[in-house]
Amino acid sequence: MSEEKVIPYKIYLEESEMPRQWYNMRADMKNKPAPLLNKDTLKPITFEELQPVFCDELIKQELDETTPYFDIPQEILDFYKMYRPAPLVRAYCLEKALDTPAKIYYKFEGNNTSGSHKLNSAIAQAYYAKEQGLKGVTTETGAGQWGTALSMASSYLGLDCNVYMVKCSYEQKPFRREVMRTYGASVTPSPSTTTEVGKRILEAHPGTTGSLGCAISEAIEAAGNKEGYRYVLGSVLNQVMLHQSIIGLEAKAAMDKYGIDPDIIIGCAGGGSNLGGLIAPFMREKLLGNKDYRFIAVEPASCPTLTRGKYAYDYCDTGMVCPLSKMYTLGSGFIPSSSHAGGLRYHGMNSTLSQLYADGYMEAMSVEQTSVFEAAQRFARVEGILPAPESSHAIKVAIDEALKCKETGEEKTILFGLTGTGYFDMYAYQRYNDGEMGDYVPSDEEINAGLAGLPKVD
Amino acid sequence: MSEEKVIPYKIYLEESEMPRQWYNMRADMKNKPAPLLNKDTLKPITFEELQPVFCDELIKQELDETTPYFDIPQEILDFYKMYRPAPLVRAYCLEKALDTPAKIYYKFEGNNTSGSHKLNSAIAQAYYAKEQGLKGVTTETGAGQWGTALSMASSYLGLDCNVYMVKCSYEQKPFRREVMRTYGASVTPSPSTTTEVGKRILEAHPGTTGSLGCAISEAIEAAGNKEGYRYVLGSVLNQVMLHQSIIGLEAKAAMDKYGIDPDIIIGCAGGGSNLGGLIAPFMREKLLGNKDYRFIAVEPASCPTLTRGKYAYDYCDTGMVCPLSKMYTLGSGFIPSSSHAGGLRYHGMNSTLSQLYADGYMEAMSVEQTSVFEAAQRFARVEGILPAPESSHAIKVAIDEALKCKETGEEKTILFGLTGTGYFDMYAYQRYNDGEMGDYVPSDEEINAGLAGLPKVD
């Protein structure tokens, strides 16, 4: 014991110790994720076919299954320095409150105005758009973190930024919208009448409060309608997970510095970008057979993609304008109950994580939202940080695992991703504080109805 | 140049380098601030007279004019480690955007859930209350940062916390209220019918939206009505400024580590706790004659305490239940225009800072709010952080000073305090974004009307 280094509450890497490359898990996977398919030909999609939608450099990253490391351009590194390195925090106070022998760490990505890890990919995508000489980008946002992150990155680089915000979120979170406007972005509630697909969806479902899948369709159409614009996306894609590997790379570097090795790594899972980013360098060790880790993806019981979805080709968006991706999915028509608070409401899962899950490299759990907010409050009161509802899914399972250690007496080391803060989620907290928050678990019929809409692909 | 150390974007002290003592400026002042007076006898107030209101240890700190350094108790140091050291940031991106030869630094205190520096004193005051065996604390909050900070500290230590929140803020910022509730605090809009003074104020001014002075009176009365409760205050008092010296001590330690010495130090000024805390160790050098610094207090033109107030004894609260303090004041009945957004709306100024200002150790400037929000937006777009309206007063003047350097070619080093984030101030940003924000400068008649209410003390 006396030889162990004293672990500070927060481990910050020096600027000189910050990772200078992103890591691409696919390069070390034996079973590669299935390729994106052209939705019309059902053949693997080509660079050229993606060019009207995405920036060239991002397409290269999206399609690259063999290059393990990508250099991070200097301008992105400089931007990262404004809010990174993010701290790796030893949750001493939570450990004490739980009276557990477990050692709990979290990588905190909320110390920036977007309030989450989303900024890591936003600046990368905005940078490549700028490099390509584009005028602007379009995107969707659900809970609002991604739209905020992209508006920050765009404003920094002088790009125009048009955000389609899921209508229920637009209405519940007017202040998120104002943050985006402060950074110069335009924000449109989705579905809207500014796109054909939006009009179509509004006709079919007049009172709809929108979904991420709808907003994606609208943002893609909007990018196509304007000269010099491309679409960018905050999760799901492999390029996003590549950028988010900075989370895990920093966490691992900080842990290595102090001789810490986690047993369990836990992340919340919506589209998968945070989870994939957090686990990336640890998964590398597991893929190479150097070390075993237990990885746990935590998803909401109201949108149980991994735990109740099907591993199949599906549309990435409701309007069915995207390529097809093979992934765990609930069907592109699946919309989580309106009682569901916060993000993690996407119907599918990143294709790389889906393959890893199918191959048994990772576990998944689903949790109900009142238990998530209970964990959030418990965490906030001892660790000080008011967590985002999304991040609190990981907190919930980290607490559960730490309490198991209390029963067994095991001194496991747990690492979880604290993706962001809940400062713009107080409406949901209010419902919880007032005892008005309920849980919703879709019935088998609802799940099957979603899956019935999957496209036929062998 | 080659011998200069490369200055990183953010300087974080190691945990082992964090200050372990607070610094009390009064110990090094030749002209001590005038003592608090008993409002009935007009004699300097005694320890015993303050005991029904404040915790014993805090009274000692309040009255101590000779002890330069106070040890920070270990439990407070441990709490500090959850969110401190706060980074000293080199504003490279702002410098580039302004194209100035000035070197701009800011000490960023917003990386915690209270969103501001207020937590530094909240944990100290809650700790001493707990040590004294008390059950709970009462307080007031205006913009909401202090109430949030105190609810966090109280929840951490298991103390009950009752917050009187200025009514207009309670209504404009329901989400601030929810953060406090999430940390277990009770929140009452002020003036309220739960206290005699609240009822009296409501009778006299039926439609009032409240003021900090009213809320203070109510919180003091509420503390007196309950066994085992004391009142705590987030600014104005010398004890608060003592705790806030952690800001300046950390900033100076970080600057010393890299051989940086500021020429100008700028802070926003409401009650004075942030400003006093930031300048404390630098002022020590000036008081001891070791080094000259230019200190600038920045206040809103709508509440111009230093620039248009009078240096005189006054009540600290609207209900006139507090001791009298000699300070720059606009009169305890002064209430800033309802068009004024954010905090910095207190009618007076900390007595130590008032004395330093009277003695010429410090300058003061007042700025109008649209120019403040313009600076805030400019800062946010290049430095990433969305600043609190309060902090943005300092940003405004820091930018002005940096632009002066651009004209003269001087490479001055500017340090300002970025006290917090504006995540709960989006209603004000919305007004700014929509072009609906106005400026308000009180007329001489209004200022004189406030001053006419000063008590008669020789």
Side-chain angles (χ1 to χ4, degrees):
Chain A
M1 284 299 279
S2 60
E3 289 180 16
E4 277 185 23
K5 281 192 194 176
V6 174
I7 311 287
Y9 278 61
K10 297 190 291 330
I11 304 175
Y12 282 105
L13 296 177
E14 301 286 329
E15 253 175 44
S16 57
E17 297 169 322
M18 284 174 67
R20 304 181 69 84
Q21 296 183 309
W22 293 304
Y23 168 63
N24 177 14
M25 276 192 285
R26 290 168 292 170
D28 291 310
M29 288 167 67
K30 275 177 212 126
N31 294 337
K32 305 289 183 192
L36 291 173
L37 299 186
N38 179 309
K39 72 184 169 72
D40 300 317
T41 65
L42 300 188
K43 290 195 176 142
I45 204 149
T46 64
F47 180 88
E48 290 72 21
E49 287 170 332
L50 287 170
Q51 271 189 311
V53 180
F54 294 126
C55 306
D56 294 356
E57 196 59 36
L58 292 168
I59 301 172
K60 283 185 207 160
Q61 294 178 356
E62 189 63 36
L63 299 178
D64 192 322
E65 297 186 331
T66 54
T67 308
Y69 291 97
F70 285 76
D71 286 341
I72 307 175
Q74 188 59 45
E75 198 154 354
I76 299 177
L77 285 175
D78 286 344
F79 188 87
Y80 278 171
K81 286 180 199 163
M82 289 206 309
Y83 71 99
R84 308 196 68 81
L88 176 74
V89 186
R90 173 76 182 266
Y92 281 117
C93 299
L94 181 62
E95 291 172 15
K96 194 175 153 196
L98 298 175
D99 190 23
T100 174
K103 291 165 184 159
I104 309 175
Y105 293 86
Y106 54 92
K107 179 70 170 168
F108 181 42
E109 292 286 327
N111 270 351
N112 69 75
T113 288
S114 83
S116 82
H117 65 292
K118 298 277 182 179
L119 199 51
N120 301 329
S121 184
I123 184 61
Q125 296 191 49
Y127 169 81
Y128 291 118
K130 182 83 178 175
E131 277 295 291
Q132 198 173 318
L134 298 176
K135 288 184 210 158
V137 287
T138 69
T139 198
E140 78 297 327
T141 199
Q145 287 97 328
W146 168 248
T148 313
L150 190 69
S151 60
M152 290 172 66
S154 298
S155 124
Y156 179 82
L157 294 170
L159 277 177
D160 186 32
C161 176
N162 305 149
V163 180
Y164 285 84
M165 187 169 187
V166 178
K167 192 180 276 172
C168 66
S169 184
Y170 182 91
E171 287 164 1
Q172 272 183 23
K173 300 186 175 185
F175 295 156
R176 270 279 181 213
R177 181 189 69 213
E178 287 310 316
V179 179
M180 292 183 248
R181 287 183 69 208
T182 299
Y183 285 92
S186 75
V187 188
T188 308
S190 166
S192 77
T193 54
T194 67
T195 66
E196 293 308 313
V197 65
K199 287 181 202 163
R200 226 163 56 219
I201 292 168
L202 280 171
E203 256 178 46
H205 310 277
T208 182
T209 53
S211 74
L212 213 48
C214 299
I216 292 173
S217 304
E218 287 207 87
I220 292 177
E221 184 182 323
N225 289 342
K226 290 210 256 187
E227 185 67 31
Y229 281 69
R230 289 293 186 286
Y231 167 70
V232 298
L233 176 61
S235 189
V236 185
L237 296 173
N238 287 314
Q239 57 187 265
V240 180
M241 222 161 58
L242 175 71
H243 308 146
Q244 294 298 358
S245 68
I246 190 82
I247 304 172
L249 290 162
E250 266 188 15
K252 190 163 189 309
M255 290 191 131
D256 287 349
K257 197 170 165 181
Y258 283 86
I260 306 159
D261 202 14
D263 299 297
I264 310 174
I265 301 171
I266 302 167
C268 63
S273 74
N274 139 70
L275 176 70
L278 175 68
I279 68 175
F282 300 99
M283 185 60 85
R284 176 173 187 270
E285 299 299 312
K286 188 160 175 167
L287 288 167
L288 299 180
N290 296 335
K291 165 88 175 103
D292 195 17
Y293 293 101
R294 210 180 140 203
F295 299 105
I296 307 177
V298 190
E299 57 187 18
S302 54
C303 191
T305 315
L306 289 170
T307 51
R308 296 177 69 194
K310 192 172 163 186
Y311 189 34
Y313 268 105
D314 193 10
Y315 297 99
C316 295
D317 63 323
T318 312
M320 305 181 182
V321 299
C322 287
L324 300 178
S325 174
K326 189 174 178 190
M327 58 185 177
Y328 280 85
T329 178
L330 296 163
S332 64
F334 182 87
I335 296 185
S337 158
S338 62
S339 72
H340 171 78
L344 309 183
R345 46 172 78 235
Y346 186 64
H347 67 275
M349 177 59 58
N350 164 273
S351 63
T352 302
L353 289 177
S354 290
Q355 185 66 47
L356 288 167
Y357 181 59
D359 289 344
Y361 282 95
M362 190 172 81
E363 300 166 41
M365 292 182 188
S366 77
V367 290
E368 299 189 22
Q369 73 178 353
T370 51
S371 72
V372 166
F373 276 81
E374 191 188 344
Q377 190 188 64
R378 189 172 191 174
F379 177 84
R381 290 188 177 187
V382 293
E383 286 289 322
I385 299 165
L386 187 93
E390 298 81 24
S391 326
S392 305
H393 287 71
I395 296 175
K396 160 69 180 151
V397 171
I399 289 177
D400 288 349
E401 292 295 326
L403 291 176
K404 280 185 206 160
C405 289
K406 186 178 176 178
E407 279 180 29
T408 62
E410 288 173 290
E411 286 188 31
K412 285 188 181 161
T413 297
I414 298 168
L415 167 65
F416 71 90
L418 189 70
T419 55
T421 50
Y423 307 148
F424 291 92
D425 299 285
M426 296 317 297
Y427 177 75
Y429 272 96
Q430 183 173 352
R431 277 167 57 207
Y432 177 75
N433 291 337
D434 289 341
E436 288 171 2
M437 176 172 279
D439 288 315
Y440 185 81
V441 181
S443 66
D444 287 341
E445 288 69 31
E446 283 171 270
I447 296 289
N448 290 334
L451 296 177
L454 292 179
K456 305 280 170 279
V457 183
D458 319 292
Chain B
M1 285 298 280
S2 61
E3 286 179 18
E4 275 184 28
K5 281 192 194 177
V6 174
I7 310 287
Y9 279 60
K10 297 189 293 323
I11 305 176
Y12 281 105
L13 297 177
E14 301 286 328
E15 252 176 44
S16 57
E17 297 168 322
M18 285 174 67
R20 305 181 67 85
Q21 295 184 310
W22 293 305
Y23 169 62
N24 178 13
M25 276 191 286
R26 289 168 292 171
D28 292 310
M29 288 166 68
K30 275 177 213 128
N31 294 338
K32 306 290 185 193
L36 291 172
L37 298 187
N38 179 309
K39 73 182 168 71
D40 300 316
T41 65
L42 300 186
K43 291 195 174 143
I45 205 151
T46 63
F47 180 88
E48 290 72 20
E49 287 171 331
L50 287 169
Q51 271 190 309
V53 179
F54 294 128
C55 307
D56 293 357
E57 195 59 35
L58 292 168
I59 302 172
K60 283 185 207 161
Q61 295 178 357
E62 189 63 36
L63 300 178
D64 193 321
E65 297 186 330
T66 54
T67 308
Y69 291 98
F70 285 76
D71 287 340
I72 306 175
Q74 187 60 45
E75 198 154 354
I76 299 177
L77 286 173
D78 286 344
F79 188 88
Y80 278 172
K81 287 180 199 163
M82 289 206 309
Y83 70 99
R84 306 196 70 81
L88 176 74
V89 185
R90 172 76 183 265
Y92 281 117
C93 300
L94 181 62
E95 291 172 16
K96 194 176 155 196
L98 298 176
D99 189 23
T100 174
K103 289 164 185 161
I104 309 175
Y105 293 85
Y106 54 93
K107 180 70 172 169
F108 181 41
E109 291 286 326
N111 270 350
N112 70 74
T113 289
S114 83
S116 83
H117 66 294
K118 298 277 182 179
L119 199 52
N120 302 330
S121 185
I123 185 60
Q125 297 191 50
Y127 169 80
Y128 292 118
K130 181 82 176 176
E131 277 295 289
Q132 199 174 317
L134 298 176
K135 288 184 210 158
V137 287
T138 70
T139 198
E140 78 297 328
T141 199
Q145 287 97 330
W146 169 247
T148 312
L150 190 68
S151 60
M152 288 173 67
S154 298
S155 125
Y156 179 80
L157 295 169
L159 277 177
D160 187 33
C161 176
N162 305 149
V163 180
Y164 286 84
M165 186 169 187
V166 177
K167 193 180 276 174
C168 64
S169 183
Y170 182 91
E171 286 165 359
Q172 271 184 22
K173 300 186 175 185
F175 295 155
R176 270 276 182 215
R177 181 188 70 212
E178 287 309 317
V179 179
M180 292 183 248
R181 289 182 69 208
T182 300
Y183 285 92
S186 75
V187 189
T188 308
S190 167
S192 76
T193 54
T194 67
T195 65
E196 292 309 313
V197 64
K199 287 180 202 165
R200 228 164 55 219
I201 292 168
L202 280 171
E203 255 177 48
H205 311 276
T208 182
T209 54
S211 75
L212 213 48
C214 299
I216 292 174
S217 304
E218 286 207 272
I220 291 177
E221 184 182 322
N225 289 342
K226 290 210 254 184
E227 185 66 31
Y229 281 70
R230 289 294 186 284
Y231 167 70
V232 298
L233 177 61
S235 188
V236 185
L237 296 173
N238 287 315
Q239 56 187 266
V240 180
M241 223 162 55
L242 175 71
H243 308 146
Q244 295 297 359
S245 67
I246 190 85
I247 303 172
L249 290 163
E250 266 187 15
K252 189 160 190 309
M255 291 191 128
D256 288 348
K257 197 169 163 180
Y258 283 86
I260 307 159
D261 202 14
D263 300 295
I264 309 174
I265 302 172
I266 302 166
C268 63
S273 74
N274 139 70
L275 176 69
L278 175 68
I279 68 175
F282 301 98
M283 185 60 85
R284 177 174 184 269
E285 299 299 314
K286 187 160 177 167
L287 288 167
L288 299 179
N290 296 334
K291 166 89 175 100
D292 195 18
Y293 293 100
R294 206 179 144 208
F295 299 105
I296 307 176
V298 190
E299 55 187 19
S302 55
C303 191
T305 315
L306 289 169
T307 50
R308 297 178 69 196
K310 192 172 163 186
Y311 190 32
Y313 268 105
D314 193 11
Y315 297 99
C316 295
D317 63 323
T318 313
M320 305 182 183
V321 300
C322 287
L324 300 178
S325 175
K326 189 173 178 189
M327 56 184 179
Y328 281 85
T329 178
L330 297 163
S332 64
F334 181 87
I335 296 186
S337 158
S338 62
S339 72
H340 170 78
L344 309 182
R345 44 172 80 236
Y346 186 63
H347 67 275
M349 178 58 59
N350 164 272
S351 63
T352 302
L353 290 178
S354 291
Q355 185 65 49
L356 289 166
Y357 181 59
D359 289 344
Y361 282 96
M362 192 171 81
E363 300 167 40
M365 294 183 187
S366 76
V367 290
E368 299 189 23
Q369 72 178 352
T370 52
S371 72
V372 166
F373 276 81
E374 191 188 344
Q377 190 188 62
R378 189 171 192 176
F379 177 84
R381 291 188 178 186
V382 292
E383 286 289 320
I385 299 165
L386 186 93
E390 299 82 24
S391 325
S392 304
H393 288 71
I395 296 175
K396 160 70 179 150
V397 172
I399 289 177
D400 287 349
E401 291 295 326
L403 291 176
K404 279 185 208 160
C405 288
K406 185 177 176 178
E407 279 180 28
T408 62
E410 288 172 291
E411 286 188 31
K412 285 189 182 160
T413 297
I414 298 169
L415 167 65
F416 72 89
L418 189 71
T419 56
T421 50
Y423 308 148
F424 291 92
D425 299 286
M426 295 317 298
Y427 177 75
Y429 272 97
Q430 183 174 350
R431 277 168 57 209
Y432 177 75
N433 290 336
D434 289 340
E436 288 171 4
M437 177 172 278
D439 288 316
Y440 184 81
V441 181
S443 67
D444 287 342
E445 288 69 30
E446 283 171 272
I447 296 288
N448 290 335
L451 297 176
L454 293 179
K456 305 280 171 278
V457 182
D458 314 293

